[in-house]
Amino acid sequence: MTFPQRYLTSFGPKDTPHLFTDILVIGAGIAGVRAALEVPPDLRVLLVTKGRVEQSNSAWAQGGIASVLAPEDRFENHIEDTLAAGAGLCNREIADRVVREAPKQINDLIRFGTRFDLENGQLALAREGGHSHRRIVHALGDATGAEVMRALIDYASRQPNITLWDRRFTIDLLTHDGRCVGALINRPRRGKLSVWAKQTILASGGAGLVFRETTNPPVATGDGIAAAYRAGARLRDMEFMQFHPTVLYLAGSARHLISEAVRGEGAYLRDKNGNRFMFQDLPEEYRALCAATEEEGKRFLQGDERARRPPELSPRDVVARAIVRCMERTQHPSVYLDLSHLPPERVMQRFPGIAKVCRGFGLDITRDPIPVRPGAHYMIGGMTVDLEGRTSLPGLWAAGEVTSSGLHGANRLASNSLLEGLVYGASCGRGAAVEAAAMPDRFVVPPVASEVVSEGDEIDISDVTNSLRSLMVRKMGIVRDRAGLMEAERTVAFWCRYALGREFDTRVGWELQNLLTIARLMIWSALQRTESRGTHYRSDFPERDDTNWRKHISCPAELPETPVPPP
Ligand SMILES: Cc1cc2nc3c(=O)[nH]c(=O)nc-3n(C[C@H](O)[C@H](O)[C@H](O)COP(=O)(O)OP(=O)(O)OC[C@H]3O[C@@H](n4cnc5c(N)ncnc54)[C@H](O)[C@@H]3O)c2cc1C
C-alpha cells in the first residue's frame, strides 16, 4: 500500500450531494474565525468545525496574547525573544511582521467585543517564560481563549455572509487539476457532502492527541495536516512538538494545563521532597542565565532589568527536560508547583480557573502543592506557507497551528500562537477573498471521485488509538533516540498497513487514520534530525549542530515502505 493513500473514503459526483461557496474555512478556532471576518460581505463564507464551536485549542488558551504595549518595551525585544526561543530556525522577516502587527490585532479583538483584563484603566500585561518584558494581554484572569473566542464567534455569527456549521467533520480536501477545489465533509445523520469552494482556508489546528499526555482538547487529532498531506501539500518540521512543562497530573482528572503565567507570577517548582530542583537540573549554559538567589528572582519579577530570571522561567523545552530529569532522579511520576509564598488574593484574582479545577480535586492552590508533569501542547511543524498564508497547493491557504509559518522555529515562545493565528488568519482571509473575487461563478461539479476497497475484519479503533498514543509518549516524547524511534517507526508502519487500508464511516475511525499518518511523519522527521534543537531532543545526539542542521526538514510526498516488526 502506498503511503499516503489519496482519499480516506469512497465518494463520487453521482452519489454525494454538492454545495458551492466562495470561500470554505475549515476550523473555527482563532485562525479560522479571524480569516472569515476578513472576507468582505459580498463573498459567501462557509465556516465548518468538527465539534461544538467552543471545542478548540483557542478556546482553551489560558495565559494570553503577546503584544508590545508597555512604554518600556520595544518590537525589537519581542522579535529577539521569539528568535531566541526558536533556536536558530525562525524566519526573522516573519517574526518581524507578526510582532509589529500584534497591537493592531489586539485593537481589532477589542473592536469585535473582547473584554481584556485591565489594571488602572490600561490593558493589564503579564510576563511569561522567555519574554524579556511584561507583554501578555489576558482576559478573565486565566481564561483568555474562552473570552476571545466568545467575542469572535458572537461577532462572526452576526455577519450575514458567514455561515457557521458545527459538528461537520472534514474528511478530505478535494483536488482537481492540481488545485484544491473544496472539501469532502461528513454531516451527522445526513452523510457526506462535497463542498466546492473557489478558495479554501485550512485552520484545523494541531495534533496533541497523538500523545497520551496532552493539554489539547479531543478535537486536536491533526485531521487537517493529514488531509493536506494526502492532497499533496508540502509539510515540514514535523519532529518539533512542544511539550508544556506543567500539566496537572492527578488520577482521574483531565490533563489541565497549569499556565506558564503561574510561574511568571513567581510560583516555584519543587520535587517530591519539597526541594526547588530547577537550578540543579538545568544544563550549565542555562544556569548562568538564571537568578542565583530567591531575592534576585523576586527583583526580576518586579521588573528589575539587571536581575536574572528565576530558573522556573527558562524556555519551555528546557524546563520540560529538567522536570523529566527530576522525575527520573526521584523516581516519582510528577513534580509540584508551589504558590504558597504568593499573596493569596493575587493568586485567586489571576488564576480563578486553575483554582476551580484544583478545588474540584481537593487542592487549595494558595496552600497546597499542585502535582504536574509535561504533556504534548503545541504542534510546531505543519504546512509550509508563504508570507500571506498560501500553501504549496494552489487554491489552499492555511493559518494557525496547522502551519509551519517560520514564526516559531524549533520552539514556540509562549503566547505567540494566538497572535500567529490572528495575523495569518486575517491575511489568509484577505488573500483568499481577492482571489475568489477574481473567479467567476461556475456551478459545475469537477469529475472527482474515489473508491476505497476495504480489506479485513473490523478492528478495535480505540485499542489501536490508545496503543499509538502510549507508544508516542514512550518513544517519540521529550527525550528520543534512534533505537526507540526505529521501533516506533516499525510499529506505526505496521498499524498503518491494516488501519489505513480500511474504509471507516465514523469520526473516530478517520481520526485514527489521521493520527497514524501524523505519527509516521513525526517519527520519520525525528529520525532524520540527528541533533538536538529546540523541542527536539535526541539523547544520542545531545548537541545542536548548526553546520548540518540549521535547516528545515520537508516531508517527502510518499514515505518509503518500512519493514514490519517481528510479532
Ligand atoms: C490548554 C491550552 C492553553 C493554551 N494557552 C495559550 C496561550 O495562553 N497563548 C497562546 O498564544 N497560545 C496558547 N495555546 C496554543 C493556542 O491555543 C493554539 O495554538 C491556537 O489556539 C491554535 O489556533 P487554531 O485556530 O490554529 O486552532 P484551534 O483553535 O485548535 O482550532 C481548530 C479548529 O479546527 C476544527 N477542526 C479540526 N479538525 C477538523 C475536521 N476534521 N473537520 C472540521 N473541523 C475541524 C476544530 O474543531 C477547531 O474548531 C494554548 C493551547 C492549549 C491547548
Side-chain angles (χ1 to χ4, degrees), residues 26-32 48-51 55-58 60-64 168-170 203-206 215-217 219 223 257 377-378 399-402 412 415-419:
I26 300 168
I30 200 162
V48 295
T49 172
K50 77 176 180 185
Q55 288 177 330
S56 63
N57 280 9
S58 301
W60 282 31
Q62 295 183 352
R168 306 299 203 277
F169 188 96
T170 300
S204 51
T215 61
N216 291 191
V219 291
D223 306 330
L257 169 73
H377 184 53
Y378 182 83
E401 198 167 334
V402 76
R412 173 188 74 122
S415 289
N416 263 358
S417 43
L418 290 173
L419 173 61

Side-chain angles (χ1 to χ4, degrees), residues 39-60:
V39 177
D42 55 332
L43 292 172
R44 297 297 299 264
V45 181
L46 178 61
L47 177 58
V48 295
T49 172
K50 77 176 180 185
R52 295 195 316 273
V53 279
E54 55 287 358
Q55 288 177 330
S56 63
N57 280 9
S58 301
W60 282 31

Side-chain angles (χ1 to χ4, degrees), residues 157-168:
S157 57
R158 282 185 274 122
Q159 308 309 308
N161 67 323
I162 299 176
T163 304
L164 173 57
W165 279 358
D166 63 358
R167 288 169 297 134
R168 306 299 203 277

Side-chain angles (χ1 to χ4, degrees), residues 63-380:
I65 308 176
S67 175
V68 172
L69 294 166
E72 66 281 7
D73 199 1
R74 295 282 171 274
F75 288 135
E76 290 70 23
N77 299 332
H78 189 179
I79 294 166
E80 288 310 322
D81 293 344
T82 302
L83 300 184
L89 279 193
C90 297
N91 180 326
R92 180 180 275 274
E93 190 189 359
I94 305 271
D96 191 279
R97 179 243 170 144
V98 172
V99 162
R100 285 177 199 278
E101 207 181 306
K104 178 196 175 301
Q105 289 296 337
I106 300 293
N107 274 335
D108 282 354
L109 284 180
I110 295 169
R111 182 164 59 82
F112 296 138
T114 307
R115 293 186 288 260
F116 287 114
D117 295 335
L118 303 176
E119 225 165 53
N120 305 321
Q122 305 286 321
L123 287 173
L125 298 177
R127 184 199 284 277
E128 287 188 344
H131 286 275
S132 55
H133 291 74
R134 284 193 170 263
R135 61 169 78 102
I136 316 300
V137 184
H138 48 89
L140 303 175
D142 56 1
T144 308
E147 167 59 12
V148 168
M149 291 315 297
R150 177 206 60 76
L152 281 178
I153 287 173
D154 196 41
Y155 196 86
S157 57
R158 282 185 274 122
Q159 308 309 308
N161 67 323
I162 299 176
T163 304
L164 173 57
W165 279 358
D166 63 358
R167 288 169 297 134
R168 306 299 203 277
F169 188 96
T170 300
I171 305 170
D172 264 308
L173 295 168
L174 298 165
T175 48
H176 181 58
D177 277 349
R179 289 181 54 79
C180 178
V181 287
L184 183 72
I185 285 169
N186 192 59
R187 302 161 300 166
R189 291 184 300 280
R190 292 164 66 202
K192 292 170 211 162
L193 170 75
S194 300
V195 176
W196 306 103
K198 292 177 185 171
Q199 301 290 317
T200 303
I201 301 173
L202 194 57
S204 51
L209 271 279
V210 178
F211 294 86
R212 189 190 55 220
E213 314 287 352
T214 179
T215 61
N216 291 191
V219 291
T221 50
D223 306 330
I225 307 177
Y229 182 60
R230 288 192 291 273
R234 208 169 305 134
L235 308 186
R236 70 175 189 193
D237 292 350
M238 294 294 286
E239 68 277 27
F240 294 120
M241 164 61 82
Q242 184 175 62
F243 289 82
H244 197 285
T246 54
V247 180
L248 184 63
Y249 186 69
L250 281 170
S253 84
R255 299 289 184 247
H256 285 280
L257 169 73
I258 309 292
S259 159
E260 192 123 18
V262 173
R263 281 171 285 133
E265 286 294 328
Y268 296 144
L269 278 165
R270 297 190 187 277
D271 67 16
K272 69 168 184 179
N273 303 314
N275 300 318
R276 265 184 90 188
F277 61 88
M278 275 301 298
F279 202 75
Q280 160 190 359
D281 280 302
L282 278 180
E284 196 65 41
E285 69 268 26
Y286 283 97
R287 243 180 262 165
L289 300 172
C290 290
T293 61
E294 287 194 15
E295 268 323 301
E296 189 183 358
K298 279 184 193 151
R299 288 207 314 276
F300 174 89
L301 293 171
Q302 284 154 3
D304 181 344
E305 302 265 322
R306 287 155 310 161
R308 286 167 298 176
R309 66 187 179 216
E312 280 86 353
L313 288 184
S314 301
R316 281 183 178 175
D317 59 310
V318 179
V319 178
R321 281 198 297 278
I323 292 176
V324 169
R325 227 167 279 137
C326 175
M327 293 192 313
E328 278 168 10
R329 194 165 36 73
T330 55
Q331 290 290 295
H332 194 66
S334 70
V335 296
Y336 296 86
L337 265 172
D338 175 15
L339 293 79
S340 60
H341 55 287
L342 302 176
E345 27 339 309
R346 172 84 184 152
V347 169
M348 294 310 285
Q349 177 217 344
R350 278 291 283 120
F351 308 114
I354 294 170
K356 189 169 162 219
V357 168
C358 289
R359 207 165 38 242
F361 291 91
L363 293 179
D364 172 355
I365 65 168
T366 64
R367 233 183 34 207
D368 302 319
I370 311 171
V372 291
R373 61 179 285 161
H377 184 53
Y378 182 83
M379 176 79 229
I380 294 174

